[in-house]
């Protein structure tokens, strides 16, 4: 574990303990019903693989897909998996901070309190998210004793059973249809990464470039965390930035100019992946999910509304509002391209990093078609 002096920079065990202690209890459900939900989600995950494969045509017939574990977990299991993923992904950044530490006051402050404070803060954020995530394809998933991953060191699909049950009850929709609908979305993410061999390494490279550009001066880091805290209450915000779009997310606050360029590319990729998953789950839906229209309408309304003022403030701070826009903008991009050039024409997007859409092209799909299709045909 990375440390400054004798103090850990991130107390990962404390993060897990804090998040597990603070996370909300799941819905009231009998042990027998819980077993039935887990078994059904596993069946839906298996069935979704074939549905998504036929609809997307991303994996050629006769090709065996990568063997990626499917895990049905509770909220504590989701927390443990994500802490393991964070630890894997952030290790180069933490090592860099260790190498650049100095004996100045900033390093002393961070060394004295950083590990415990960061562990608690990470745990608090994970406890907030752990009751909201329905499913997740973990792209960078180190195998642990309790959480297997694919043999090549990346990839596992998580379905968070208590959250799925909570939302299906809240929306008052058919539970069997809703569980399959969620499985279709997450299976699409698994297909994206198993069907496009270069995508995982490309995404990892972009994230590492972003982290490499992070300002690792401890006092600057602490100052930016204070800015993030102020953004929750609106304190310290310049006049005229108090409206709905005012304030910056935590990701915005830590950006350097070089990071903004990387973040623009990452935003485009994530918009594509999330929008494609939404497009597929609704495209497959009418064939296998009888109440897909009702589910989509109610789910979209729930996404847009949020759960309250604190929830909305935290969503803005964490950049989750931007993620919601990624679903919307990315789905529009995919739908527009498929309507113009068909599914096989859209699938050219997976040819190489050069055929991925830019952030501007996500907003203007015709520009991507012109660049990738018309240029190739001329």
């Amino acid at each position: 574990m990375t440390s400054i002096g004798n103090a850990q920079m991130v107390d990962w065990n404390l993060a897990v303990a804090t998040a597990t202690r603070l996370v909300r209890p799941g819905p009231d459900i009998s042990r027998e019903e819980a077993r039935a939900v887990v078994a059904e989600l596993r069946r839906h995950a298996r069935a979704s693989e074939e549905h998504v494969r036929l609809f997307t045509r991303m994996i050629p017939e006769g090709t065996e897909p990568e063997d990626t574990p499917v895990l049905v977990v509770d909220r504590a299991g989701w927390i443990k998996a994500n802490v393991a993923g964070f630890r894997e992904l952030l290790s180069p950044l933490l090592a860099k901070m260790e190498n650049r530490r100095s004996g100045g006051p900033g390093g002393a402050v961070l060394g004295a309190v950083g590990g415990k404070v960061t562990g608690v803060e990470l745990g608090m954020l994970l406890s907030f998210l752990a009751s909201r995530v329905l499913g997740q394809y973990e792209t960078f998933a180190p195998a642990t004793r309790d959480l297997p991953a694919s043999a090549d060191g990346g990839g596992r699909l998580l379905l968070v059973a208590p959250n799925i049950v909570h939302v299906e009850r809240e929306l008052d929709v058919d539970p069997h249809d809703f569980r399959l609908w969620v499985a279709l979305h997450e299976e699409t993410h698994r297909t994206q990464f198993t069907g496009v061999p270069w995508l995982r390494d490309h995404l990892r490279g972009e994230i590492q470039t972003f982290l490499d550009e992070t300002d690792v001066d401890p006092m600057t880091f602490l100052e930016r965390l204070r800015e993030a805290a102020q953004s929750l209450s609106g304190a310290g915000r310049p006049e005229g930035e108090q409206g709905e779009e005012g304030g910056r997310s935590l990701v915005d606050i830590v950006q350097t100019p070089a990071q903004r360029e990387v973040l623009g590319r990452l935003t485009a990729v994530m918009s594509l992946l999330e929008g494609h998953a939404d497009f597929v789950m609704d495209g497959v839906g009418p064939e296998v999910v009888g109440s897909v229209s009702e589910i989509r309408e109610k789910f979209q309304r729930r996404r847009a509304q949020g759960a309250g003022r604190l929830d909305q403030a935290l969503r803005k701070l964490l950049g989750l509002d931007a993620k919601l826009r990624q679903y919307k903008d990315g789905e529009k991009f995919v739908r527009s391209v498929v309507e113009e050039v068909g599914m096989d024409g859209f699938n050219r997007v997976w040819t190489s990093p050069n055929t991925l859409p830019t952030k501007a092209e996500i907003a203007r799909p015709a520009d991507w078609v012109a660049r990738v299709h018309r240029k190739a045909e001329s």
Side-chain angles (χ1 to χ4, degrees), residues 61-79:
E61 288 294 327
T63 302
E64 284 298 319
E66 180 183 306
D67 183 19
T68 305
V70 178
L71 308 179
V72 181
V73 298
D74 58 11
R75 291 170 178 174
W78 181 88
I79 288 166

Side-chain angles (χ1 to χ4, degrees), residues 14-85:
L14 182 58
V16 172
T18 300
T20 304
R21 184 176 68 253
L22 295 178
V23 71
R24 297 174 183 176
D28 186 17
I29 186 171
S30 69
R31 182 168 296 184
E32 182 179 347
E33 186 180 0
R35 289 197 189 101
V37 170
V38 170
E40 183 175 14
L41 287 171
R42 285 176 176 154
R43 290 196 304 271
H44 286 330
R46 288 193 296 270
S48 295
E49 185 174 349
E50 185 65 17
H51 293 315
V52 171
R53 185 169 179 164
L54 290 173
F55 184 82
T56 64
R57 303 202 287 272
M58 290 180 63
I59 300 176
E61 288 294 327
T63 302
E64 284 298 319
E66 180 183 306
D67 183 19
T68 305
V70 178
L71 308 179
V72 181
V73 298
D74 58 11
R75 291 170 178 174
W78 181 88
I79 288 166
K80 291 176 183 176
N82 276 267
V83 167

Side-chain angles (χ1 to χ4, degrees), residues 2-10 97-98 101-118 218-219 221-222:
T2 307
S3 63
I4 290 183
N6 294 320
Q8 299 169 351
M9 288 189 59
V10 179
M97 292 181 73
E98 166 69 7
R101 73 181 176 89
S102 67
V109 170
L110 189 56
V113 302
K116 297 296 183 185
V117 170
T118 307
M219 292 308 294
F221 180 75
L222 292 173

Side-chain angles (χ1 to χ4, degrees), residues 76-97:
W78 181 88
I79 288 166
K80 291 176 183 176
N82 276 267
V83 167
F86 279 136
R87 189 171 182 174
E88 171 86 0
L89 203 58
L90 293 178
S91 59
L93 173 62
L94 298 182
K96 181 179 177 182
M97 292 181 73

Side-chain angles (χ1 to χ4, degrees), residues 33 46 105 206 224 262 319 346 352:
E33 186 180 0
R46 288 193 296 270
E206 292 282 50
R224 287 177 177 175
V262 178
F346 165 77
S352 75

Side-chain angles (χ1 to χ4, degrees), residues 2-245:
T2 307
S3 63
I4 290 183
N6 294 320
Q8 299 169 351
M9 288 189 59
V10 179
D11 190 329
W12 300 106
N13 292 332
L14 182 58
V16 172
T18 300
T20 304
R21 184 176 68 253
L22 295 178
V23 71
R24 297 174 183 176
D28 186 17
I29 186 171
S30 69
R31 182 168 296 184
E32 182 179 347
E33 186 180 0
R35 289 197 189 101
V37 170
V38 170
E40 183 175 14
L41 287 171
R42 285 176 176 154
R43 290 196 304 271
H44 286 330
R46 288 193 296 270
S48 295
E49 185 174 349
E50 185 65 17
H51 293 315
V52 171
R53 185 169 179 164
L54 290 173
F55 184 82
T56 64
R57 303 202 287 272
M58 290 180 63
I59 300 176
E61 288 294 327
T63 302
E64 284 298 319
E66 180 183 306
D67 183 19
T68 305
V70 178
L71 308 179
V72 181
V73 298
D74 58 11
R75 291 170 178 174
W78 181 88
I79 288 166
K80 291 176 183 176
N82 276 267
V83 167
F86 279 136
R87 189 171 182 174
E88 171 86 0
L89 203 58
L90 293 178
S91 59
L93 173 62
L94 298 182
K96 181 179 177 182
M97 292 181 73
E98 166 69 7
N99 291 335
R100 289 187 55 180
R101 73 181 176 89
S102 67
V109 170
L110 189 56
V113 302
K116 297 296 183 185
V117 170
T118 307
V120 169
E121 289 175 342
L122 178 59
M124 292 173 66
L125 294 180
L126 287 171
S127 72
F128 168 77
L129 295 171
S131 61
R132 287 157 173 78
V133 176
L134 301 182
Q136 175 183 354
Y137 179 79
E138 280 200 287
T139 313
F140 314 110
T144 68
R145 183 177 60 186
D146 302 323
L147 297 164
S150 62
D152 65 355
R156 62 177 164 235
L157 192 151
L158 306 178
L159 295 171
V160 191
N163 296 350
I164 293 172
V165 172
H166 171 78
V167 173
E168 70 193 24
R169 290 178 177 179
E170 183 181 87
L171 297 181
D172 190 24
V173 294
D174 182 284
H176 309 295
D177 281 0
F178 185 73
R179 293 165 196 174
L180 176 54
W181 190 70
V182 172
L184 288 168
H185 183 100
E186 302 310 327
E187 176 57 38
T188 302
H189 285 317
R190 181 164 69 156
T191 299
Q192 289 163 349
F193 284 93
T194 57
V196 185
W198 53 264
L199 185 57
R200 181 183 294 128
D201 287 342
H202 172 72
L203 195 59
R204 181 190 289 273
E206 292 282 50
I207 292 171
Q208 290 304 326
T209 299
F210 182 88
L211 294 178
D212 287 345
E213 291 292 335
T214 299
D215 185 345
V216 294
D217 173 72
M219 292 308 294
T220 301
F221 180 75
L222 292 173
E223 177 62 31
R224 287 177 177 175
L225 280 181
R226 282 193 289 271
E227 285 187 54
Q230 289 175 351
S231 75
L232 272 178
S233 62
R237 218 181 274 171
E239 187 175 354
E241 292 188 6
Q242 306 287 343
E244 184 178 350
E245 296 301 321

